[in-house]
């Protein structure tokens, strides 16, 4: 049985700091517009903290991770539905601070993600990961959580958060959850709402590209062959403009000759940037 305590909505940093911690506490950080991918994170966090444990969800569209001209102003906001999902999943408290409260003490100190923040998404969005890490670190401190759960959907973000926590000795356990997908394989994302019906259909080439690469790797192809197979699928639909298709090792270093690897892709569908990734096992000998 989950606790019958009503969900607490915390709107200020002072309220968050004042929330007494009586049991192990897990946190799930989101930008709202919650979908079943977020739900999987909530369930994993609840499993970690236990039926009597505490589960805090942050809802904050972080302006530091958006560049000028990106979708900050039109990012979907579905507060009532978000709250309903949190209630269904037995969330203890939802922390949804206002931007001015979050940064009332200033925002000139930021975290430098290092070289791993300059490749892939970091290349396309130069200050993105500095903004992500700064706010993730701030939420770790504010929520005083013992564990935090992130999605593999944002694989580079997950890798950077793991690195940050390790290198800065931040006392928190990081857990991850595999990507939750729609029936046709498209990774769930709040940004899928931007797609027209035609674009939504076209977007299915992203998971198809990953599947093609996984297949090639499993049947003896190398990293390059996997990339070629994925690119072929991605370019099959004219509404899809690939940005990158890259195979790396699981920590985003150079692709191995054989063994565990990761394929990461980004593509624009209409005006919407979509990301996806998958584990590969390179069976080359
Ligand atoms: P966002 O609200 O998009 O910032 O995402 C909040 C968290 O949910 C991040 O850890 C994401 O990686 C995770 N997430 C987003 N989409 C999915 C998905 N389809 N499956 C699993 N986790 C996801």
């Amino acid at each position: 049985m989950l606790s019958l305590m009503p969900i607490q909505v915390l709107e200020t940093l002072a309220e968050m700091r004042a929330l007494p911690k009586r049991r192990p506490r897990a946190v799930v950080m989101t930008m709202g517009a919650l979908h079943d991918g977020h739900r999987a994170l909530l369930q994993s966090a609840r499993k970690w903290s236990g039926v009597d444990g505490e589960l805090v969800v942050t809802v904050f569209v972080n302006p530091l991770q958006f560049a000028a001209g990106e979708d900050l102003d039109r990012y979907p906001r579905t507060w009532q539905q978000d709250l309903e999902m949190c209630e269904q999943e037995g969330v203890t408290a939802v922390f949804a601070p206002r931007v001015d409260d979050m940064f009332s003490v200033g925002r000139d100190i930021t975290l430098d993600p290092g070289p791993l923040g300059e490749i892939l998404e970091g290349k396309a969005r130069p200050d993105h990961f500095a903004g992500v890490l700064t706010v993730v670190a701030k939420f770790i401190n504010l929520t005083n959580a013992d564990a935090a759960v992130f999605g593999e959907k944002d694989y580079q973000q997950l890798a950077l958060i793991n690195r940050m926590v390790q290198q800065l000795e931040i006392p928190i356990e990081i857990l991850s959850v595999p990507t939750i997908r729609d029936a046709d394989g498209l990774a769930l994302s709040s940004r899928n709402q931007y797609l027209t019906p035609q674009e939504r259909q076209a977007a299915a080439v992203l998971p198809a590209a990953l599947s093609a690469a996984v297949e090639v790797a499993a049947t003896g192809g190398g990293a390059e062959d996997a990339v070629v197979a994925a690119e072929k699928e991605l370019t099959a639909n004219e509404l899809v403009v690939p940005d990158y298709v890259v195979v790396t090792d699981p920590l985003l270093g150079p692709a191995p000759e054989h063994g565990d690897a990761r394929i990461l892709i980004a593509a624009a569908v209409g005006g919407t940037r979509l990301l996806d990734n998958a584990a590969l096992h390179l069976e080359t000998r």
Side-chain angles (χ1 to χ4, degrees), residues 129 150-159 179 264 275 277:
F129 287 119
F150 295 91
E152 286 182 3
K153 159 76 173 41
D154 300 285
Y155 194 81
Q156 189 177 7
Q157 168 177 290
L158 172 63
T179 302
L264 300 103
L275 309 183
N277 68 87

Side-chain angles (χ1 to χ4, degrees), residues 29-248:
M29 299 179 198
T30 79
M31 298 207 297
L34 302 186
H35 50 64
D36 282 346
H38 297 107
R39 190 188 293 277
L41 269 59
L42 299 184
Q43 291 173 348
S44 163
R46 170 52 73 193
K47 206 167 159 190
W48 182 91
S49 61
V51 282
D52 296 329
E54 297 180 9
L55 172 49
V56 174
V57 174
T58 66
V59 175
F60 183 63
V61 182
N62 170 20
L64 299 192
Q65 70 185 67
F66 289 79
E70 289 185 348
D71 56 341
L72 175 62
D73 296 333
R74 63 181 189 120
Y75 196 83
R77 290 165 206 250
T78 58
W79 175 245
Q80 279 310 323
Q81 283 146 264
D82 294 353
L83 214 50
E84 270 167 41
M85 184 187 292
C86 289
E87 275 169 354
Q88 287 162 9
E89 299 302 332
V91 167
T92 314
V94 180
F95 176 39
R98 291 163 46 110
V99 172
D100 54 358
D101 190 16
M102 190 69 174
F103 300 118
S104 64
V105 288
R107 48 189 265 185
D108 49 323
I109 304 289
T110 57
L111 283 170
D112 180 350
L116 198 57
E118 285 166 17
I119 59 171
L120 305 171
E121 280 309 285
K123 197 165 176 186
R125 306 179 71 190
D127 296 322
H128 175 67
F129 287 119
V132 169
L133 292 188
T134 301
V135 162
V136 167
K138 186 152 178 160
F139 275 141
I140 290 174
N141 290 333
L142 278 165
T143 61
N144 190 20
D146 307 295
V149 184
F150 295 91
E152 286 182 3
K153 159 76 173 41
D154 300 285
Y155 194 81
Q156 189 177 7
Q157 168 177 290
L158 172 63
L160 279 162
I161 290 167
N162 273 316
R163 238 172 137 87
M164 170 180 79
V165 163
Q166 269 169 14
Q167 293 189 15
L168 301 184
E169 301 285 350
I170 300 177
I172 192 164
E173 190 177 328
I174 303 296
L175 288 89
S176 61
V177 168
T179 302
I180 306 297
R181 299 175 177 283
D182 253 343
D184 65 351
L186 181 66
L188 297 186
S189 164
S190 308
R191 288 192 168 98
N192 291 353
Q193 295 182 30
Y194 298 151
L195 303 171
T196 65
Q198 224 187 353
E199 289 165 354
R200 171 63 192 79
Q201 226 175 356
V205 298
L206 274 86
L210 296 179
S211 302
V214 168
E215 174 74 18
V216 162
T219 51
E224 267 310 306
D225 305 314
V227 167
V228 170
E231 278 174 345
K232 188 168 165 221
E233 291 290 334
L234 270 189
T235 50
N237 192 304
E238 61 192 13
L239 293 177
V240 179
V241 182
D243 178 5
Y244 58 77
V245 178
V246 176
V247 175
T248 67

Side-chain angles (χ1 to χ4, degrees), residues 221-223 254-259 282-285:
E257 284 288 313
H258 53 85
L282 296 164
E283 297 287 356
T284 44
R285 285 164 207 288

